[in-house]
Amino acid sequence: MGGSHKLSEDDLAQRRDAMIEFQIKHRGITTPSVLDAIRRIHRESFVPPEVRQFAYDDAPMVIKAGHTLAQPYVIAMMVDALNLTGSERVLDVGTGSGYQAAILGCLASEVYSIERIPELAEEARQALANEGVDNVEVRVGDSSLGCPDQAPFDAIVVTAGGTRPPEALLHQLKVGGRMVIPLGKDALVQELVRVTRVSETEFRSDDIADIAFHALHGEFDGHDDGLSSRTPFGRWVLNDRETNLTDRIRQQATPFDRVEDMPLDALMERIGDARVVLIGEASHGTSEFYLARQRITRALIERKGFSFVTIEGDWPDAARVDHYVRHAEYPPSEWTAFARFPTWMWRNEEVRGFVDWLRAHNALLPASERVAFHGLDLYSMYNSIRAILEYLDDVDPDTATIARQRYSCLAPFRANPGDYGKAALNPNYETCEKPVLEMLRDLQVRHRTYAEHDSERFLNTIQNARLVANAEEYYRTMFYGSRSAWNIRDTHMFETLEHLLKHYGENSRAIVWAHNSHVGDSAATEMSLRDEFNIGRLCRARFGSRAYSIGFGTDTGTVAAASDWDCPIEIKELKPSIKGSYESLCHKTGVAHFLLPLRGGDGILVNGLSTRHLERAIGVIYRPETERQSHYFEAQLPKQFDEYIWLDQTSAVTPLATESLKGMPDTYPFGV
């Protein structure tokens, strides 16, 4: 079958080059020596013959004895984090196939590799010899004990970790040496950490990235205490429970035929007097999620008098929409709203329909009662700086001059803000933290003077200044680990929401549009194992029962997404939901569309759904070839959301066509 297809050396070389270019370099690993080492070593030599054609896929591979060979990018990231110069002595803990040891052999002077399974160790020795790598010694032994007779080491890399680094390995590091190891409470949810030995007794750790080294062995393994799908009894119990859950979902759900017919009366009652309603989406490119969210939003505005809508989008771009929908009198910003990647996320026909509706709705209201539209995100650092300067040029030219001087620190990184984070890694580099915070403080001090001039424009300016300060911190810390960057971003979104509620008064009410991963309570997902939190968690902590969150799910259809960051939009086919997921449970009901109340819902159902299941999340990137690793995580649905909306088959959003925008007035936010 697929394994019998034999590829030529040229085919494999082309795949190796493509792997380096698209899986590794495009994700930020650009160290020449690391790329050269990966290019030299033939990955296909370290996997079973029957799967060699898949050696360069962007996925882990099963080798022998239940072991896996990590995906190429993960190995590149771990090796790159060691900062090897060529003269080091390195300990590789967990030889496996020997592929990582071979790469280390190209980058270091001596490598000792420990493997506990003799069969794997022998095969690794043979593969290393075939590749001409002669500076790696493979030993059989207890990996956690390392190689004390050859210690100390300049660097140690560990391919499987636990909750903390083994003491024996820590003390085999030289002072100044680095260890890279995955750590976490759960093997499926770990953080890749670099530990540096600062002195004989002190160690410093830096988070590098989230990582998962172990895939589930069975469809429900790890989902329930003491039950395993690898035993007949466990499989029977688990399958019976899932069947009962599907039946109960069918009984408790409120079905509907089309999004346009979605019943809202009971949902409005359940939302009650909530001050914040968070409405999610399971992907950033699904039409029905946008349409259903807008239908709920219109009802909240018309029936319950909600004050403003906020989105997982940049503040200055959303400000153009706000200017348009509230018929503002001051000139709009010059840029086109949501013109950067991923353009289709907000520049689509579905959002355009809501924006036009909101403008028409507001036209009938006094200016003070018009519903606003704001962005929560922080990726628009340079447009925000531009908006601040435009405002200050109008109202305070002297302060505008000071602002230009302070923000000039960030100017060299305009083309790629991520480069600022790389520069900030150098302890001798003077970051931009101080000048941007000084600018924010100066604007806050001038609050009364500026607000009297135009309170709405000042709100826009002060929020842009907050955004620049938080974005500076975000980019400055992003290379220390994904956890800190995620938490900075969602804290910024939550604080923006709080500032808006304060601005619009104590009776104001807010609607949040963002991905499920932001609006669902992170404490009910594996994010909590990484000490990550999101706007949904912060809203529940702040507003309690007056925060109501709504999640979405789908099974099949199409989605607008890219294959990688900054790549073109593609209309991709969704793979059917996998066994053991909430999506699979909902699909098996046979009900095409339904609402499912979770807060205060049927006790038996809520209890059953509170057992951990997989849940799918697709952002602006969709990689169906690595569906399980890339797009599923574990969650407890009733603790994550107050309501769940199921749309079994869905379709991609429709990006705005240039032709449809020609002839629009200058105030139109999406431009041409």
Side-chain angles (χ1 to χ4, degrees):
M1 302 289 287
S4 64
H5 180 63
K6 187 173 179 63
L7 295 174
S8 69
E9 291 297 321
D10 287 343
D11 290 334
L12 289 166
Q14 289 175 6
R15 293 192 179 195
R16 185 160 56 252
D17 289 342
M19 172 196 76
I20 292 168
E21 185 67 28
F22 297 108
Q23 298 178 35
I24 297 174
K25 287 177 67 176
H26 279 199
R27 290 174 176 163
I29 306 298
T30 57
T31 306
S33 59
V34 172
L35 299 180
D36 288 344
I38 295 171
R39 187 173 286 106
R40 174 188 160 185
I41 300 300
H42 299 79
R43 185 174 164 93
E44 68 271 18
S45 299
F46 295 86
V47 302
E50 64 271 15
V51 293
R52 281 181 179 168
Q53 69 178 44
F54 306 114
Y56 296 105
D57 286 2
D58 190 18
M61 299 187 69
V62 177
I63 46 175
K64 287 190 175 180
H67 281 231
T68 58
L69 172 59
Q71 72 189 94
Y73 168 63
V74 170
I75 291 175
M77 180 168 48
M78 295 180 75
V79 171
D80 189 60
L82 293 173
N83 297 323
L84 300 175
T85 62
S87 61
E88 296 89 352
R89 301 176 74 251
V90 178
L91 175 62
D92 174 43
V93 180
T95 310
S97 71
Y99 176 67
Q100 181 168 274
I103 292 172
L104 290 169
C106 298
L107 293 166
S109 174
E110 298 176 68
V111 178
Y112 292 85
S113 189
I114 307 296
E115 173 55 53
R116 65 182 179 86
I117 300 175
E119 179 188 5
L120 282 179
E122 183 54 39
E123 291 188 2
R125 291 189 190 105
Q126 187 61 51
L128 287 161
N130 292 341
E131 286 291 295
V133 180
D134 58 7
N135 61 339
V136 176
E137 180 179 328
V138 178
R139 296 184 172 189
V140 176
D142 186 336
S143 300
S144 66
L145 298 180
C147 195
D149 63 308
Q150 294 296 329
F153 294 97
D154 299 286
I156 299 176
V157 60
V158 186
T159 56
T163 57
R164 55 181 297 176
E167 288 291 326
L169 297 183
L170 287 173
H171 292 289
Q172 289 176 37
L173 270 179
K174 284 183 180 178
V175 173
R178 290 87 58 201
M179 176 194 295
V180 173
I181 181 172
L183 298 176
K185 304 171 186 175
D186 189 318
L188 292 170
V189 188
Q190 295 181 314
E191 188 85 15
L192 191 62
V193 175
R194 177 172 50 211
V195 180
T196 303
R197 188 168 193 174
V198 180
S199 69
E200 289 297 327
T201 58
E202 293 179 286
F203 297 86
R204 184 186 73 241
S205 65
D206 301 309
D207 294 343
I208 299 172
D210 299 334
I211 203 164
F213 273 96
H214 303 285
L216 294 178
H217 292 291
E219 61 188 71
F220 296 109
D221 286 2
H223 287 232
D224 203 18
D225 297 336
L227 291 179
S228 171
S229 63
R230 286 176 287 176
T231 66
F233 175 74
R235 186 160 50 246
W236 182 85
V237 172
L238 290 164
N239 287 338
D240 185 62
R241 183 189 66 191
E242 301 301 291
T243 300
N244 290 336
L245 273 177
T246 296
D247 291 342
R248 196 162 284 275
I249 290 172
R250 188 186 302 111
Q251 295 165 12
Q252 298 300 319
T254 303
F256 56 93
D257 293 328
R258 304 177 306 156
V259 169
E260 295 85 347
D261 305 322
M262 185 166 56
L264 296 178
D265 291 347
L267 175 60
M268 291 297 115
E269 289 183 18
R270 291 191 290 271
I271 290 172
D273 66 348
R275 191 174 186 198
V276 176
V277 176
L278 304 105
I279 313 177
E281 59 189 6
S283 90
H284 284 319
T286 299
S287 176
E288 287 79 3
F289 296 157
Y290 283 74
L291 295 174
R293 182 165 58 188
Q294 291 166 32
R295 193 153 188 278
I296 296 168
T297 299
R298 287 177 58 170
L300 291 171
I301 291 170
E302 292 175 326
R303 302 188 195 183
K304 291 182 174 289
F306 272 68
S307 317
F308 59 92
V309 178
T310 60
I311 67 168
E312 183 192 338
D314 294 333
W315 176 273
D317 294 275
R320 271 208 53 118
V321 176
D322 185 57
H323 180 282
Y324 178 72
V325 299
R326 284 205 282 170
H327 306 266
E329 296 179 1
Y330 58 86
S333 56
E334 296 178 4
W335 54 79
T336 299
F338 308 113
R340 69 165 181 83
F341 179 89
T343 54
W344 66 90
M345 182 173 166
W346 298 115
R347 287 176 62 82
N348 57 59
E349 291 291 350
E350 290 80 358
V351 171
R352 181 186 187 182
F354 176 78
V355 166
D356 290 343
W357 173 85
L358 188 56
R359 177 176 168 84
H361 173 83
N362 280 337
L364 305 175
L365 300 173
S368 61
E369 297 177 17
R370 291 172 185 165
V371 178
F373 188 95
H374 295 296
L376 297 176
D377 227 331
L378 49 56
Y379 289 120
S380 59
M381 183 160 61
Y382 291 96
N383 271 352
S384 290
I385 291 173
R386 185 175 163 192
I388 294 166
L389 297 177
E390 286 178 358
Y391 173 78
L392 291 174
D393 283 339
D394 285 347
V395 303
D396 191 345
D398 291 340
T399 302
T401 301
I402 296 172
R404 281 187 169 84
Q405 180 182 0
R406 287 172 172 167
Y407 288 140
S408 66
C409 172
L410 292 164
F413 308 100
R414 184 182 184 92
N416 185 6
D419 288 344
Y420 171 66
K422 293 178 184 177
L425 290 174
N426 185 339
N428 297 319
Y429 177 77
E430 187 174 350
T431 71
C432 304
E433 179 182 15
K434 183 178 178 182
V436 300
L437 288 176
E438 286 176 345
M439 196 64 240
L440 174 59
R441 282 192 290 267
D442 281 1
L443 290 173
Q444 289 170 328
V445 167
R446 291 171 169 80
H447 175 273
R448 180 169 296 178
T449 302
Y450 290 162
E452 287 174 356
H453 189 272
D454 187 330
S455 63
E456 289 299 328
R457 287 194 72 190
F458 177 71
L459 168 68
N460 188 48
T461 301
I462 198 69
Q463 181 54 37
N464 276 313
R466 290 191 188 101
L467 187 153
V468 173
N470 288 334
E472 183 277 334
E473 182 185 13
Y474 175 84
Y475 287 114
R476 174 163 42 84
T477 62
M478 65 185 298
F479 287 95
Y480 288 101
S482 55
R483 173 175 56 207
S484 60
W486 176 280
N487 289 348
I488 289 169
R489 183 181 172 209
D490 271 57
T491 297
H492 171 81
M493 290 200 284
F494 175 71
E495 289 176 347
T496 300
L497 176 64
E498 283 200 308
H499 289 308
L500 288 168
L501 288 167
K502 181 178 179 181
H503 174 79
Y504 289 110
E506 61 182 1
N507 295 321
S508 60
R509 304 173 77 181
I511 301 163
V512 176
W513 291 0
H515 197 277
N516 282 354
S517 58
H518 291 290
V519 305
D521 190 337
S522 57
T525 75
E526 62 186 42
M527 289 170 64
S528 63
L529 299 175
R530 300 189 293 265
D531 295 323
E532 289 178 343
F533 52 81
N534 62 6
I535 190 171
R537 168 93 294 259
L538 295 170
C539 282
R540 281 199 174 171
R542 170 70 173 82
F543 302 107
S545 62
R546 295 199 69 195
Y548 198 91
S549 60
I550 302 172
F552 284 83
T554 189
D555 183 57
T556 55
T558 58
V559 63
S563 294
D564 211 335
W565 194 258
D566 268 341
C567 286
I569 182 176
E570 301 175 55
I571 305 304
K572 300 193 173 196
E573 291 286 337
L574 283 170
K575 294 187 74 170
S577 53
I578 66 176
K579 293 179 180 180
S581 68
Y582 287 113
E583 289 83 0
S584 178
L585 287 176
C586 292
H587 173 66
K588 288 177 181 177
T589 64
V591 182
H593 312 101
F594 59 76
L595 291 95
L596 185 66
L598 297 172
R599 183 195 289 189
D602 175 73
I604 297 175
L605 175 62
V606 168
N607 184 61
L609 291 177
S610 294
T611 302
R612 289 184 301 159
H613 283 69
L614 296 173
E615 184 180 318
R616 181 157 63 182
I618 299 170
V620 296
I621 294 170
Y622 181 44
R623 296 189 176 115
E625 65 276 9
T626 55
E627 181 94 359
R628 169 61 181 91
Q629 300 97 319
S630 300
H631 300 293
Y632 280 90
F633 60 96
E634 288 192 341
Q636 294 171 284
L637 199 72
K639 298 178 181 179
Q640 186 184 9
F641 300 111
D642 299 300
E643 190 97 14
Y644 191 66
I645 298 178
W646 178 251
L647 303 162
D648 193 72
Q649 189 167 30
T650 51
S651 55
V653 294
T654 304
L656 286 179
T658 300
E659 294 74 19
S660 70
L661 298 175
K662 289 180 179 177
M664 300 300 293
D666 291 342
T667 55
Y668 196 66
F670 300 112
V672 176

